[in-house]
Amino acid sequence: SLSKLQLKTGDLDPRLFSRLRHLQKLDLSDNLLDKFPNSLTLPDLRVLNCNNNKLEDVTALKQFPLLEELTYENNVYLTLNDDYKVMFLLQNLRLLNGKDITKLANHVRRVNSRKLTSKVTAHWEKFFRDQLPEKYTAEQVKSIKKKFLKSVQTNVVYGPSSLSEFTRWRVKMIAEEFLAYSLGLELNTDPEPEEKMDENEEESTESPREAAEDVAQVGDFSSYINNVTVTPSKRKRNNSKPGSGNKRSKAQADTEEEAEDVSAEPLHFLQCHSKGNSREDFKTQLWSCVFEPLLDCGARKDPIVSSSRTVATCGGESVCLIDCETGTVLKKYKVATEEFFSVAWTTLTMVISDSRKKSHNILVAAGRRGIVKLIHVAADFCYGEIKAHKKPIATVCFSPTRETHLFTASYDKRIALWDIGIPDCDYNFKASQLLVLEALAIPLRIALVPTCPDQYLLAGCEGGCFAWNIKLDKEQKSRPFEAIFQFPDEDGGMTTSHRVDGLAFLNDDVVVSKSSKPGCIYLWSWSRSFDAKGKGCQRTVSAVILAELEWSMTDLSYLTLSTCPGRQH
């Protein structure tokens, strides 16, 4: 045991360690190690603990081939990609951070490797084989190798985008092995930094069909929770066309011509929010479910899969972090007297103790007590709270342009904008209220207008749909709403008074809103409904409706409506 000795990497002397031929267990937890020296040897090492260090890379662990148990929790720079790397590199590994990974590791070593190998080979055959003349010089080989390695790491994708760094690492390895085998090239065994793609470079040379096939292999959250076959139908209005929004491929346009059958099988059933973990508790309701943002999107930023496979959920007295692929509850945060209604993510650039800046995901959770909890997930630490409202908070959301700006919508009929600040290395932070928006009814859902997220906010409320000007250069700290929207009522007229309990943007212009009563979901145009140059406050405007989707006539309120703008779903 070499735990809690303030050890740095330079303190691990290979000349000393290489003499420990029969050492089987080593505890290096609670030190300051940022990496492992490459030549520690330790040929018989079976159990290694390096919790609470500053490790940035795991590839040096391949020097311990007999390793069976490995733990490296609370190394904030290590990610899911590193878990997959050690599963591939250490063939005898059974337990990783206390979890049995035998099944997943076999999948990584066999299925994942097989799929990637076939994709790498296909990429060579399609784009590069014909570029190499029958008689080639060393210089030509060197040039084509460089191009091929760069292209294959950019264009071969497989699995969830949260694993893109692992995939690029494996693809490079497989591609080098393939070239060594096919062209007799020397294999490069020295690790070198991965090439990052230039912002302006071409992203992909594959056809839309290939891209679609790759995307089709990645499940989204709906495939885990739905067990239904749906045939959506659309009732058109005024023959008006939706705003241009995102460009769509021909394939997407074709599927819009006919109703699309969606059949999804559930993968996992989780009951992780029930009181006292009781199987009998079916009363605790699940209120919010939000995917964690990716800290490293890698070279391919796929608009369709722009999140990780980790999701935060809240309900009852707990917030859970779940790995959707394995169905594992990774972390659980509980407050005995709370009922959580909403969670939201932001990514803050924080200074860690060694004065290096690094991006970290922060989760906020709020609910019945009107208090916002601030959680640094990687560190398993709730570092603070903001007493935001005296009544319950229905929903929260972050500004897409200012990572510290948080909106909280409360039963006190107010929406507040907060600057949550950035915590320092001791987690000291300063939060301040920037704005209060006055509503006529309880706000249930809020959405920032994508084309001007610093200027307008929309809210679906118990008594209608409202818009506010949220520009911060105005003097007013407290503001009334700027517009209330009218929708068709059951008698053929127009009404402002109905509960809007579902609200989201489908693209830059099209708003999707649902009301539990009228039995429909409306698609309407923000730009055609709301004239930003219009004079006067608290004016009534008619929503310009583009389409009406069937929705069940139900008294069950608050079912969440969410959109996937990448696919216009």
Side-chain angles (χ1 to χ4, degrees):
S1 174
L2 299 173
S3 180
K4 299 178 183 171
L5 295 174
Q6 301 283 302
L7 294 177
K8 294 184 178 174
T9 299
D11 297 322
L12 303 184
D13 183 354
R15 288 170 303 174
L16 170 64
F17 277 81
S18 60
R19 292 163 62 187
L20 302 172
R21 311 293 298 168
H22 302 291
L23 184 69
Q24 293 198 347
K25 284 187 180 181
L26 176 59
D27 184 353
L28 289 165
S29 61
D30 301 288
N31 282 300
L32 304 168
L33 305 174
D34 57 1
K35 62 180 180 188
F36 272 94
N38 270 323
S39 48
L40 287 186
T41 318
L42 303 179
D44 212 13
L45 192 67
R46 310 295 169 103
V47 179
L48 176 62
N49 179 352
C50 13
N51 287 349
N52 296 310
N53 277 279
K54 298 183 177 186
L55 293 176
E56 295 178 17
D57 183 47
V58 293
T59 50
L61 295 173
K62 69 182 177 188
Q63 64 186 297
F64 311 128
L66 298 185
L67 209 57
E68 294 172 7
E69 295 180 27
L70 171 64
T71 48
Y72 49 58
E73 289 177 306
N74 296 332
N75 282 270
V76 292
Y77 302 128
L78 296 184
T79 68
L80 184 67
N81 290 281
D82 297 296
D83 295 353
Y84 274 65
K85 286 179 185 179
V86 294
M87 281 188 249
F88 173 76
L89 291 170
L90 299 169
Q91 301 287 313
N92 288 309
L93 196 65
R94 290 181 302 103
L95 291 176
L96 178 60
N97 294 329
K99 297 190 182 80
D100 187 333
I101 48 97
T102 317
K103 200 172 169 186
L104 180 58
N106 283 335
H107 180 88
V108 170
R109 292 173 203 139
R110 296 195 176 91
V111 181
N112 186 290
S113 295
R114 194 167 63 238
K115 294 263 189 190
L116 289 178
T117 302
S118 69
K119 282 171 172 270
V120 168
T121 312
H123 193 75
W124 171 266
E125 295 291 322
K126 187 170 181 182
F127 298 109
F128 285 89
R129 193 179 68 171
D130 296 339
Q131 291 184 29
L132 203 62
E134 276 185 37
K135 291 182 178 174
Y136 43 79
T137 65
E139 207 51 49
Q140 285 172 315
V141 169
K142 194 176 173 186
S143 163
I144 204 163
K145 176 187 176 183
K146 190 178 176 186
K147 280 186 200 163
F148 176 59
L149 288 178
K150 191 168 190 177
S151 173
V152 81
Q153 285 178 81
T154 306
N155 292 306
V156 169
V157 289
Y158 173 66
S161 55
S162 53
L163 291 172
S164 58
E165 189 211 325
F166 166 75
T167 302
R168 283 200 309 277
W169 177 79
R170 275 295 288 134
V171 162
K172 185 182 180 200
M173 198 183 286
I174 291 166
E176 286 180 333
E177 287 167 1
F178 171 77
L179 291 175
Y181 176 76
S182 311
L183 307 177
L185 295 182
E186 223 169 277
L187 203 56
N188 179 13
T189 52
D190 296 329
E192 56 182 84
E194 289 188 23
E195 289 189 26
K196 286 271 187 283
M197 247 187 85
D198 192 77
E199 291 283 308
N200 306 318
E201 275 186 54
E202 277 296 310
E203 277 224 354
S204 175
T205 50
E206 64 190 341
S207 67
R209 171 111 189 238
E210 280 178 280
E213 282 169 1
D214 284 331
V215 165
Q217 294 166 341
V218 182
D220 63 7
F221 196 64
S222 61
S223 63
Y224 300 112
I225 56 172
N226 290 334
N227 186 22
V228 290
T229 302
V230 289
T231 309
S233 63
K234 191 192 264 189
R235 303 195 290 267
K236 281 199 173 135
R237 266 180 191 273
N238 336 347
N239 296 326
S240 51
K241 290 180 182 170
S244 59
N246 301 348
K247 287 182 183 171
R248 288 174 290 180
S249 65
K250 184 177 181 299
Q252 277 175 301
D254 289 345
T255 49
E256 283 173 10
E257 294 299 311
E258 56 203 62
E260 183 186 352
D261 274 4
V262 181
S263 181
E265 286 296 313
L267 191 63
H268 306 289
F269 287 104
L270 300 174
Q271 206 179 338
C272 46
H273 290 271
S274 49
K275 260 198 174 139
N277 280 338
S278 162
R279 287 173 175 231
E280 310 308 313
D281 174 17
F282 292 104
K283 287 183 179 165
T284 300
Q285 301 192 58
L286 193 70
W287 286 112
S288 184
C289 156
V290 189
F291 277 93
E292 181 174 9
L294 284 175
L295 282 173
D296 171 27
C297 291
R300 280 182 73 94
K301 291 182 177 69
D302 194 327
I304 295 168
V305 196
S306 62
S307 66
S308 62
R309 66 191 227 187
T310 314
V311 73
T313 58
C314 75
E317 60 185 17
S318 58
V319 173
C320 291
L321 206 68
I322 299 165
D323 181 326
C324 298
E325 203 159 296
T326 60
T328 313
V329 179
L330 303 170
K331 298 170 195 266
K332 190 167 183 176
Y333 173 74
K334 282 168 92 165
V335 177
T337 53
E338 182 63 281
E339 183 181 6
F340 287 108
F341 291 149
S342 188
V343 283
W345 291 95
T346 189
T347 304
L348 300 182
T349 304
M350 292 156 60
V351 177
I352 307 299
S353 51
D354 56 5
S355 28
R356 277 194 302 179
K357 286 188 173 179
K358 185 133 178 92
S359 294
H360 290 274
N361 283 335
I362 300 297
L363 181 69
V364 305
R368 191 171 291 285
R369 293 170 66 204
I371 295 171
V372 176
K373 296 284 186 182
L374 305 166
I375 304 166
H376 181 191
V377 173
D380 295 332
F381 185 46
C382 175
Y383 68 85
E385 62 180 38
I386 301 167
K387 293 182 170 66
H389 299 268
K390 287 184 177 155
K391 288 197 172 177
I393 294 172
T395 187
V396 295
C397 87
F398 276 99
S399 159
T401 54
R402 305 185 190 194
E403 68 275 14
T404 61
H405 284 196
L406 174 74
F407 291 89
T408 57
S410 168
Y411 280 63
D412 61 11
K413 299 183 185 174
R414 290 187 177 99
I415 299 167
L417 169 58
W418 303 86
D419 187 332
I420 65 166
I422 295 177
D424 63 18
C425 56
D426 297 318
Y427 289 103
N428 298 310
F429 71 101
K430 191 176 178 219
S432 55
Q433 191 185 78
L434 305 175
L435 202 57
V436 175
L437 311 175
E438 303 287 349
L440 294 181
I442 294 170
L444 303 171
R445 309 283 179 216
I446 51 180
L448 293 156
V449 178
T451 49
C452 45
D454 293 331
Q455 185 156 9
Y456 290 106
L457 176 136
L458 264 182
C461 301
E462 286 283 3
C465 186
F466 299 82
W468 285 265
N469 188 324
I470 55 169
K471 215 165 182 183
L472 286 173
D473 58 5
K474 294 190 160 200
E475 287 300 305
Q476 271 172 297
K477 266 279 185 102
S478 177
R479 292 181 197 171
F481 67 89
E482 193 141 313
I484 181 168
F485 294 91
Q486 291 189 114
F487 292 87
D489 63 15
E490 289 159 15
D491 307 322
M494 297 292 274
T495 181
T496 56
S497 179
H498 63 304
R499 175 192 286 149
V500 179
D501 61 350
L503 182 75
F505 274 85
L506 186 60
N507 57 30
D508 281 354
D509 185 57
V510 178
V511 188
V512 187
S513 64
K514 103 175 153 64
S515 176
S516 55
K517 273 279 193 274
C520 67
I521 294 172
Y522 289 119
L523 272 67
W524 49 284
S525 165
W526 160 259
S527 62
R528 286 163 61 186
S529 307
F530 182 82
D531 178 10
K533 295 189 182 103
K535 293 277 185 276
C537 223
Q538 304 193 8
R539 55 187 194 237
T540 301
V541 294
S542 295
V544 177
I545 294 178
L546 309 169
E548 204 178 285
L549 309 181
E550 281 184 7
W551 173 245
S552 52
M553 294 293 275
T554 174
D555 287 334
L556 187 62
S557 303
Y558 316 125
L559 285 167
T560 306
L561 177 152
S562 54
T563 55
C564 177
R567 287 187 174 183
Q568 303 233 359
H569 285 178

